[in-house]
Amino acid sequence: MFDHLYRIWADGGALQNGTQQAHGYASYLLESRTGKRQIVRLGDLPGVPTNTQAEYVALISALVDLRGRIERAGKSPRSYSV
């Protein structure tokens, strides 16, 4: 079993997936080892035409958010595992 301090669940989708009219939507969930959880909804993502791209946007957004939270707490992101 992998020991972690945080977990990220990321999901995304796209209405009219893969078409010129498509627009994505995404959200992610951050969970700490202590069980504290927060869901962040990114909402509509114009210009994101596929569900796969929306999922990548969610994952990258979650990692950037988590890094910022750790740095604002005065700690180094290198000290944490996801």
Side-chain angles (χ1 to χ4, degrees):
M1 174 163 240
F2 184 63
D3 190 26
H4 68 280
L5 296 173
Y6 289 95
R7 285 189 203 189
I8 294 173
W9 282 271
D11 196 17
L15 298 173
Q16 300 180 350
N17 192 36
T19 68
Q20 294 219 350
Q21 296 80 24
H23 66 276
Y25 54 91
S27 61
Y28 60 88
L29 178 133
L30 293 176
E31 179 184 42
S32 70
R33 178 184 284 173
T34 62
K36 185 176 178 183
R37 301 172 125 201
Q38 182 178 9
I39 295 172
V40 177
R41 298 188 197 292
L42 300 176
D44 286 338
L45 303 170
V48 177
T50 69
N51 61 315
T52 302
Q53 289 174 315
E55 288 172 353
Y56 279 118
V57 168
L59 177 59
I60 292 166
S61 297
L63 291 168
V64 169
D65 181 12
L66 182 56
R67 179 181 181 150
R69 291 172 190 233
I70 291 168
E71 289 175 341
R72 285 190 298 278
K75 301 188 178 177
S76 170
R78 293 178 182 245
S79 302
Y80 292 83
S81 59
V82 178

